[in-house]
Amino acid sequence: MSDNLPPCPQCSCEYTYAMNTLVVCPECGHEWVPGESVDAGAGASGSEEKVIKDSVGNVLQDGDSVTVVKALKVKGSPSGIKAGTKVRNIRLIDGVDGHDIDCKVDGFGAMQLKSSVVKKA
């Protein structure tokens, strides 16, 4: 299938595939333009996203649904967020103090979560 496609520059996977103008790695999810060099691509485009993984190692993306894996205390709330609470339509951000998910939790409103306390649903 990947006749003339280069291996992934991040994990060296040989099973890359073309998606529109990008080449995609199915193992690590890395996407790149095949004509650009790896060094020039990272330096020229500052939009190189870091990979954010959940508590079990799944790669998270904007719009995913996640499940909270442990009970979380919420300041100003007597109950907090229970383990198993499903959160839909997350956004990945460069947050403060490790909080890299921006979302709305039913019953609590908008807040930021750490990726280490969620699992991809």
Side-chain angles (χ1 to χ4, degrees):
M1 274 186 105
S2 58
D3 300 356
N4 298 327
L5 296 175
C8 177
Q10 286 192 342
C11 70
S12 302
C13 173
E14 298 177 1
Y15 303 109
T16 57
Y17 62 94
M19 183 182 351
N20 297 330
T21 60
L22 297 175
V23 177
V24 181
C25 175
E27 290 187 8
C28 69
H30 180 65
E31 300 176 352
W32 73 97
V33 178
E36 292 182 1
S37 68
V38 176
D39 296 333
S45 64
S47 64
E48 188 70 29
E49 296 181 26
K50 71 176 191 175
V51 176
I52 298 177
K53 297 183 179 184
D54 66 359
S55 61
V56 291
N58 297 323
V59 177
L60 296 174
Q61 297 178 352
D62 286 344
D64 282 346
S65 294
V66 295
T67 304
V68 178
V69 295
K70 70 179 223 176
L72 302 173
K73 295 179 182 178
V74 178
K75 190 184 286 187
S77 172
S79 62
I81 300 174
K82 295 179 182 178
T85 302
K86 191 165 185 177
V87 180
R88 294 177 185 84
N89 199 17
I90 64 169
R91 285 187 327 163
L92 303 178
I93 58 169
D94 287 329
V96 179
D97 200 26
H99 293 82
D100 44 13
I101 297 175
D102 193 24
C103 60
K104 288 184 184 175
V105 180
D106 291 339
F108 293 95
M111 62 176 44
Q112 293 180 354
L113 299 173
K114 292 183 178 182
S115 59
S116 60
V117 297
V118 299
K119 178 177 75 169
K120 192 170 185 176

